[in-house]
Amino acid sequence: MALIKEIDYGTPIRLSEKTVTLSIDGQSVTVPAGTSVMAAAMSLGTKIPKLCATDSLEPFGSCRLCLVEIEGRRGTPASCTTPAEDGMVVRTQSENLSGLRKGVMELYISDHPLDCLTCSANGDCELQDMAGAVGLREVRYGYEGENHVFAKTADGLANENWLAKDTSNPYFTYDPSKCIVCNRCVRACEEVQGTFALTIAGRGFDSRVAAGPTDFLGSECVSCGACVQACPTATLMENKVIEHGQPEHSKVTTCAYCGVGCSFKAEMQGDRVIRMVPYKDGKANEGHSCVKGRFAWGYANHRDRMTKPMIRARITDPWREVSWEEAISHAASEFKRIQARYGRESVGAITSSRCTNEEVFLVQKLVRAAFRNNNVDTCARVCHSPTGYGLKTTLGTSAGTQDFKSVAKADVILIIGANPTDGHPVFASRMKKRIREGARLIVADPRRIDMVKSPHIKADYHLPLRPGTNVALLNALGHVVVTEGLIDESYVRERCDLDAFEQWARFVAREENSPEASEQYTGVPAADVRAAARLYATGGNGAIYYGLGVTEHSQGSTTVMAMANLAMATGNIGRDGVGINPLRGQNNVQGSCDMGSFPHEFSGYRHVADDSTRQVFEMMWGVPLDPEQGLRITNMLDEAVDGTFKGLYVQGEDIAQSDPNTKHVTAGLAAMECVVIQDIFLNETAKYAHVFLPGASFLEKDGTFTNAERRINRVRQVMAPLSGKDEWQVTIELARALGYEMSYAHPGEIMDEIARLTPSFAGVSYDKLEKLGSVQWPCNEKAPTGTPLMHVDRFVRGKGQFMITEFIATDERTGPRFPLLLTTGRILSQYNVGAQTRRTENGAWHDEDVLEIHPFDAESRGIRDGDLVSLASRSGDIALRAEISERMQPGVVYTTFHHAKTGANVITTDYSDWATNCPEYKVTAVEVRRTNHYSQWQEKNFEEDVTLRRIAERLPDAAE
Amino acid sequence: MTEAALTTADAGSAGDDRKAEHLAKLARMAGQIADFFKAYPDAEAVPAVADHINQFWTGGMRDAFIDAYSARPEDLPPLLRRALPLIRPARGS
């Protein structure tokens, strides 16, 4: 196994219908028009020396190393900035060029340290490579002159040109003495990431890379790592490489954070990860990354990792470490006992959206075939279940319509209830790039998120609606489209159900749905709504991107359908650059839904009551299956509190932290007789568990994840499971102990079974994934290489179905006791319940949840920035620090739920989406006041962090 | 079920409260479903409400709901009342 090195063409690959043919060093080559001479040469395998060029960035032409000679042209043009032309005759080597390049290198090296042997880039330094390539043998200028290399001058005085290292960022170091000012980092920050945090300060010899007027950590830098990756020297270098040296082999795998599903090269020394480098051929990210995937993987080896199975009789007992056999047979006998006593329906499982498709498939199979009921649900229940319901009802399939790349063809981008720069940063970079190229932007969000305005990005319209009024806003947009004659009539006539369309059009045209009438609910000026609707309907390709701000409401499913109505009415589904796209929260939330994790569906979204589907599963699995749908997570907890649901197998989920109304969740868990947790840490839910089965991190797994664009990506094991067992193996052993035989030698065999049982996965195999890198489902006979765009000629369901989407205000209302609305979400550096990111250096950016509050609301309550405040709702109260922020609108406060000790979900309520029971996280009536103590729940929780986590014969650890 | 009923009965009135709370929650969920479909004409809305419940609620939830409200349908909003007879009892019950 070797280190995977992608080819660097030097300048971006151009797409063009037209090709040009030229001669380079006597060889003829044909390339797409617009390709640089440098990239054309590289396509022949000819490496023209270069320093400032790399194919992730537009050509810059500053290093003067890539000079070539072109017949009929004067001088020696830079090959990176010269487009290839028909009939061009290029020479990349000559006496003249060689002399020029040597001269350039000589100047570079005269102001560069000669500590190559002890340099962290040793073995991976382009400057060193180029010195070798041009045959540099001496530096006639010496090294004593004015320089940026030495802290002191020859006479012992301080060197004013010298700058110390910047080690403020926990993951990488900036060493200015090694900088050749090639601008690659600055350009990566602008072009790839789109943050514009870096610049070149000074001019001429004083030119320095700078993170604005401050250090890296204090700057706008989002630590995506693009600059580090672009740096050709050791100027920007991962601290792990500085510490351990260069990696020696690598494997391509898939990030286990958000639903973007970035491909990474895990670069290793033995079984130690040295760094994760975004993989250029990964279709989801095309070589880009964010701070989480790139740097925040250290949790995999954190000392909190649990690696031994444990059991206990009562949750107040200390845990007892036992053998795998004992833990599994204990769990199985408990489930059997409970089913015998309380009935077949009294147990169930929750599958994880962080685990692989194969692992998830086995857990739902265990429930259906070994528990013999359908009580299986997944955390998609609490995030994107309305997406599944809404898109299936209107379009016929429970997933987004586009690939990520499609955004590059969008003309108008409509973002609703999503904060991509924080939640889906790598996709946000693509989106920002398109906006910088001129795409128009509409943002519907209660908060002034970064997409509303940030460097070189400005929304044409920000519609700052009141939380809970999405449907009113979307109906108002639909109203304008219908009443102002902006319908794409031929599209609707050809592709949609006309009766349903007319029913919808009559409904949405009613006066109560006009922007003027709905302003009283949404708070958004009617004129802005009208202008935004006109822009979306008439501005060319209109693409909708949305997140949990849409789904996590009482009317989450209604909003999804309202978006589908709007997109169908304007003809914006079924080609590149348009569509409706959920930005999914967790790495494999799409996959866990696809794999049959919902209590009413087998894999591929087929209802359990459907006899023909069920018979196929019964035949393959050799047992009769229950035709009745099972319990959803919320129903399981309700029935647990009610006393009828008694046993739960939780795969890699932390419902005690992530699910709403914590007190209700923990009451449900505490009422159960057997809770089995399979996880890598003793999470919050594990406080209520009786059996702990140690899990594996993504670095320890073989399998697949499916991202938000339906792309199935391979996850490859780079180190052995710390617990000694693969997670899928544990599920198999548990099934066997329950009396149901499962047998697979490798996750690839589980995928083969998935393919046999699931029409949309029929063409998926590990062999194919190996060959193609990834595929987007549906992948079957009709689409053997997968389906990047859905609904191209017709909707999956046949005719597009318009649905009537009446606005019904949530029952959660503000009033004198709870006058403010709380909405919750996430930030860039932390992920979900924080179990992973809190165990990394990402705390440098966000080490506690804070309450964002508008200055007006703060002032009227006497709250100053940094004050401890009490946040109370009808469900409960917590205390946290206030951060005064004009990103909020008056009357709305915001917090994150990343830190267990805060307990943000103590505040959220039981209210949920009408169709799917997806909880209403985004609207909670609250009051905020100053306080000087933590809440009763928090105090109790601090105590239980210790009392419910004791392990026999071990000293209690400090609570995390 | 009888076992479960016994254990909750131990808790006395607390168990009754929990049962009532559970029923209230089911009624609320059903009410939300009816609220969505009430924009449709009755001929479409009534079967749609029942169908939604038949597709997504467990047999146990449906039985509990039918048991509680068959005797007092007047406690339900009109659309839900009309949909009640179309809600399917659990298989085998």
Side-chain angles (χ1 to χ4, degrees):
Chain A
M1 213 172 354
L3 210 56
I4 299 161
K5 287 268 185 200
E6 300 101 315
I7 295 170
D8 183 357
Y9 289 89
T11 60
I13 308 297
R14 305 296 180 192
L15 294 176
S16 172
E17 306 269 298
K18 221 183 122 214
T19 58
V20 295
T21 302
L22 67 162
S23 150
I24 297 176
D25 296 336
Q27 275 183 285
S28 172
V29 60
T30 302
V31 292
T35 304
S36 70
V37 169
M38 176 183 278
M42 193 60 215
S43 68
L44 288 170
T46 302
K47 285 187 197 169
I48 298 174
K50 66 181 183 60
L51 280 170
C52 71
T54 186
D55 61 11
S56 60
L57 304 172
E58 289 301 316
F60 193 60
S62 85
C63 74
R64 314 313 294 170
L65 208 57
C66 70
L67 309 176
V68 291
E69 291 172 353
I70 301 175
E71 254 175 41
R73 293 217 184 168
R74 281 189 297 159
T76 48
S79 62
C80 64
T81 52
T82 306
E85 287 171 17
D86 252 334
M88 226 178 213
V89 178
V90 178
R91 288 176 61 82
T92 70
Q93 296 292 350
S94 72
E95 278 305 313
N96 179 36
L97 289 170
S98 169
L100 287 169
R101 287 179 188 146
K102 249 185 221 176
V104 169
M105 278 311 293
E106 205 175 346
L107 283 165
Y108 273 119
I109 300 302
S110 71
D111 186 20
H112 192 85
L114 296 181
D115 60 352
C116 296
L117 287 180
T118 54
C119 176
S120 60
N122 190 2
D124 186 25
C125 175
E126 294 183 36
L127 188 68
Q128 198 177 37
D129 294 348
M130 288 307 113
V134 305
L136 184 70
R137 297 292 171 257
E138 60 171 341
V139 175
R140 290 164 294 171
Y141 312 110
Y143 304 96
E144 284 75 37
E146 200 175 357
N147 66 73
H148 303 93
V149 177
F150 303 108
K152 292 205 168 131
T153 59
D155 44 15
L157 299 172
N159 177 1
E160 285 176 4
N161 292 322
W162 182 83
L163 290 175
K165 287 179 190 173
D166 178 349
T167 56
S168 60
N169 185 295
Y171 297 116
F172 62 84
T173 295
Y174 168 46
D175 182 353
S177 73
K178 303 213 158 148
C179 180
I180 59 170
V181 202
C182 65
N183 275 257
R184 272 159 69 160
C185 55
V186 177
R187 290 183 286 142
C189 193
E190 293 176 5
E191 295 174 26
V192 179
Q193 166 56 28
T195 291
F196 295 77
L198 301 184
T199 188
I200 300 291
R203 312 169 63 167
F205 196 70
D206 291 332
S207 302
R208 313 305 290 261
V209 170
T214 173
D215 61 11
F216 270 76
L217 189 66
S219 73
E220 308 268 281
C221 168
V222 292
S223 198
C224 69
C227 57
V228 181
Q229 201 179 335
C231 181
T233 68
T235 309
L236 287 160
M237 182 58 84
E238 294 93 349
N239 290 345
K240 288 282 176 193
V241 174
I242 297 175
E243 191 182 339
H244 298 296
Q246 293 291 331
E248 39 79 21
H249 75 270
S250 57
K251 269 191 195 174
V252 174
T253 190
T254 305
C255 177
Y257 282 119
C258 78
V260 176
C262 296
S263 297
F264 279 88
K265 294 181 289 181
E267 298 198 338
M268 315 287 297
Q269 283 178 346
D271 67 351
R272 176 164 68 191
V273 180
I274 297 298
R275 62 180 172 189
M276 299 291 283
V277 183
Y279 183 48
K280 211 157 73 176
D281 293 335
K283 299 276 195 334
N285 55 321
E286 296 183 307
H288 189 38
S289 62
C290 81
V291 60
K292 294 190 284 281
R294 178 81 154 93
F295 295 117
W297 38 266
Y299 68 86
N301 287 103
H302 194 275
R303 64 187 169 82
D304 288 352
R305 272 292 295 275
M306 289 288 143
T307 57
K308 298 226 166 58
M310 301 187 293
I311 61 174
R312 59 183 176 184
R314 283 179 304 272
I315 62 169
T316 46
D317 291 345
W319 284 106
R320 196 160 56 82
E321 288 178 357
V322 295
S323 68
W324 275 108
E325 293 68 32
E326 187 176 350
I328 285 168
S329 75
H330 177 73
S333 72
E334 277 294 280
F335 284 132
K336 282 196 247 178
R337 178 187 65 79
I338 290 170
Q339 283 192 304
R341 175 151 186 223
Y342 300 103
R344 196 157 50 101
E345 306 296 326
S346 59
V347 299
I350 298 175
T351 69
S352 174
S353 293
R354 299 178 196 168
C355 289
T356 63
N357 285 318
E358 293 75 7
E359 289 160 345
V360 166
F361 185 82
L362 287 196
V363 171
Q364 64 88 33
K365 179 175 177 180
L366 177 145
V367 171
R368 300 187 202 278
F371 286 168
R372 302 286 291 280
N373 63 36
N374 288 315
N375 290 336
V376 60
D377 205 359
T378 186
C379 70
R381 174 66 54 212
V382 302
C383 66
H384 265 295
S385 51
T387 292
Y389 181 84
L391 294 184
K392 189 161 189 179
T393 305
T394 49
L395 313 179
T397 193
S398 300
T401 60
Q402 314 294 114
D403 56 3
F404 288 141
K405 208 174 172 173
S406 154
V407 77
K409 298 271 174 63
D411 300 312
V412 180
I413 295 169
L414 171 53
I415 304 175
I416 308 179
N419 185 10
T421 53
D422 285 43
H424 304 86
V426 171
F427 176 68
S429 291
R430 280 184 192 261
M431 199 182 243
K432 290 197 286 187
K433 186 170 194 169
R434 180 60 187 160
I435 294 165
R436 290 197 302 276
E437 288 168 356
R440 311 285 297 274
L441 174 65
I442 304 162
V443 177
D445 200 290
R447 296 192 304 144
R448 210 178 62 216
I449 57 173
D450 285 355
M451 287 305 294
V452 173
K453 194 173 185 309
S454 58
H456 299 269
I457 302 292
K458 190 171 183 305
D460 294 85
Y461 300 100
H462 175 212
L463 312 176
L465 75 174
R466 296 266 297 163
T469 62
N470 287 335
V471 173
L473 179 70
L474 279 154
N475 285 346
L477 292 168
H479 178 92
V480 177
V481 168
V482 169
T483 57
E484 296 191 8
L486 307 178
I487 300 278
D488 184 340
E489 284 177 30
S490 62
Y491 180 95
V492 171
R493 199 169 299 120
E494 189 188 327
R495 303 196 41 173
C496 303
D497 182 299
L498 284 183
D499 291 341
F501 167 73
E502 278 165 25
Q503 207 174 23
W504 171 75
R506 273 200 306 278
F507 156 77
V508 86
R510 296 205 303 240
E511 182 51 33
E512 74 215 47
N513 290 318
S514 69
E516 290 72 19
S518 54
E519 188 175 333
Q520 60 176 315
Y521 308 113
T522 62
V524 182
D528 284 357
V529 177
R530 286 197 177 269
R534 289 171 197 142
L535 176 59
Y536 173 75
T538 63
N541 285 341
I544 298 175
Y545 292 90
Y546 71 95
L548 305 182
V550 158
T551 55
E552 288 174 344
H553 287 277
S554 286
Q555 283 202 291
S557 294
T558 316
T559 310
V560 173
M561 290 187 271
M563 292 187 306
N565 290 340
L566 190 64
M568 287 190 288
T570 52
N572 276 317
I573 301 177
R575 60 178 189 278
D576 226 4
V578 299
I580 306 178
N581 298 283
L583 296 174
R584 290 191 173 251
Q586 302 208 36
N587 54 324
N588 199 34
V589 66
Q590 179 71 55
S592 71
C593 298
D594 302 340
M595 290 301 102
S597 291
F598 286 137
H600 64 286
E601 282 172 339
F602 291 118
S603 59
Y605 305 98
R606 293 161 299 159
H607 204 283
V608 293
D610 179 58
D611 291 335
S612 59
T613 306
R614 200 176 59 256
Q615 278 157 13
V616 174
F617 279 82
E618 286 176 339
M619 204 172 65
M620 290 284 295
W621 291 354
V623 281
L625 299 173
D626 191 343
E628 274 283 4
Q629 59 273 13
L631 295 164
R632 298 165 173 181
I633 295 176
T634 34
N635 313 139
M636 291 180 197
L637 292 166
D638 289 345
E639 301 221 342
V641 172
D642 198 29
T644 53
F645 187 83
K646 291 289 186 183
L648 184 64
Y649 170 22
V650 185
Q651 175 194 35
E653 272 299 307
D654 196 1
I655 56 172
Q657 188 182 340
S658 64
D659 285 29
N661 194 356
T662 308
K663 288 179 193 167
H664 181 67
V665 174
T666 52
L669 287 167
M672 294 183 203
E673 293 182 8
C674 179
V675 176
V676 177
I677 301 281
Q678 189 171 21
D679 207 289
I680 58 176
F681 298 114
L682 266 184
N683 60 17
E684 298 305 302
T685 311
K687 289 179 188 167
Y688 298 89
H690 307 86
V691 180
F692 184 87
L693 305 172
S697 76
F698 76 113
L699 296 168
E700 298 151 50
K701 285 180 179 182
D702 261 313
T704 55
F705 291 153
T706 307
N707 75 356
E709 39 165 17
R710 293 170 280 105
R711 184 182 303 285
I712 306 162
N713 269 316
R714 275 283 271 124
V715 179
R716 293 186 176 87
Q717 190 179 59
V718 297
M719 57 197 221
L722 300 189
S723 71
K725 259 193 209 297
D726 292 311
E727 274 184 39
W728 54 272
Q729 192 64 42
V730 175
T731 306
I732 290 173
E733 287 173 19
L734 183 57
R736 281 181 186 153
L738 286 163
Y740 181 76
E741 178 60 30
M742 291 188 193
S743 164
Y744 307 91
H746 185 270
E749 294 179 7
I750 306 175
M751 181 54 85
D752 294 340
E753 179 172 321
I754 296 166
R756 280 196 298 277
L757 282 167
T758 318
S760 50
F761 276 67
V764 182
S765 69
Y766 277 27
D767 272 352
K768 187 174 280 179
L769 293 172
E770 214 58 53
K771 284 194 201 95
L772 302 180
S774 65
V775 292
Q776 287 171 275
W777 67 259
C779 174
N780 47 30
E781 254 178 33
K782 270 190 255 166
T785 57
T787 312
L789 300 177
M790 300 282 282
H791 316 293
V792 172
D793 298 314
R794 59 189 283 281
F795 288 103
V796 171
R797 75 180 295 283
K799 294 283 186 188
Q801 177 76 16
F802 282 83
M803 293 296 288
I804 299 182
T805 53
E806 197 177 353
F807 171 59
I808 295 159
T810 168
D811 288 339
E812 179 71 5
R813 303 286 166 86
T814 53
R817 272 181 71 207
F818 301 107
L820 302 173
L821 282 181
L822 169 75
T823 177
T824 63
R826 60 168 92 178
I827 50 117
L828 171 66
S829 56
Q830 298 287 352
Y831 176 72
N832 202 276
V833 294
Q836 294 139 290
T837 45
R838 277 187 277 123
R839 292 180 174 93
T840 68
E841 303 296 326
N842 279 23
W845 288 274
H846 182 96
D847 58 356
E848 60 178 329
D849 296 315
V850 297
L851 185 77
E852 290 185 38
I853 183 168
H854 189 272
F856 289 168
D857 295 325
E859 195 184 0
S860 63
R861 289 166 176 77
I863 293 167
R864 285 163 309 181
D865 202 56
D867 278 354
L868 190 69
V869 295
S870 148
L871 174 68
S873 74
R874 292 179 184 93
S875 299
D877 68 300
I878 57 168
L880 71 174
R881 306 249 160 230
E883 182 178 300
I884 296 177
S885 159
E886 291 192 30
R887 286 156 62 96
M888 306 309 302
Q889 49 175 295
V892 181
V893 294
Y894 171 84
T895 190
T896 48
F897 63 103
H898 300 306
H899 294 271
K901 62 176 195 270
T902 318
N905 280 317
V906 171
I907 304 298
T908 50
T909 68
D910 268 349
Y911 290 134
S912 66
D913 174 48
W914 69 270
T916 66
N917 281 145
C918 177
E920 186 164 62
Y921 288 99
K922 302 295 185 185
V923 188
T924 310
V926 294
E927 176 57 305
V928 179
R929 56 178 176 76
R930 287 181 64 185
T931 185
N932 58 6
H933 59 85
Y934 287 99
S935 80
Q936 219 177 356
W937 180 89
Q938 286 170 316
E939 297 287 359
K940 180 164 160 274
N941 186 52
F942 294 152
E943 201 178 294
E944 289 176 349
D945 276 344
V946 180
T947 55
L948 299 184
R949 278 206 177 115
R950 285 175 301 148
I951 298 172
E953 286 156 38
R954 271 206 218 170
L955 289 172
D957 265 355
E960 47 170 290
Chain B
M1 271 313 277
T2 48
E3 290 277 358
L6 277 178
T7 47
T8 47
D10 293 343
S13 66
D16 292 346
D17 284 354
R18 283 204 299 267
K19 279 266 176 276
E21 198 184 306
H22 190 206
L23 269 181
K25 210 163 189 174
L26 292 179
R28 207 191 107 75
M29 283 162 56
Q32 278 185 288
I33 295 165
D35 273 346
F36 175 80
F37 288 108
K38 76 179 181 339
Y40 283 88
D42 249 23
E44 290 174 59
V46 172
V49 170
D51 186 49
H52 191 93
I53 291 174
N54 289 338
Q55 271 200 50
F56 297 107
W57 286 22
T58 63
M61 288 161 70
R62 297 197 307 269
D63 278 353
F65 185 71
I66 295 169
D67 284 353
Y69 289 98
S70 292
R72 45 185 174 101
E74 62 281 5
D75 288 2
L76 297 173
L79 176 56
L80 206 48
R81 204 179 307 154
R82 288 193 289 279
L84 189 60
L86 300 183
I87 297 175
R88 194 164 45 76
R91 282 174 210 237
S93 72

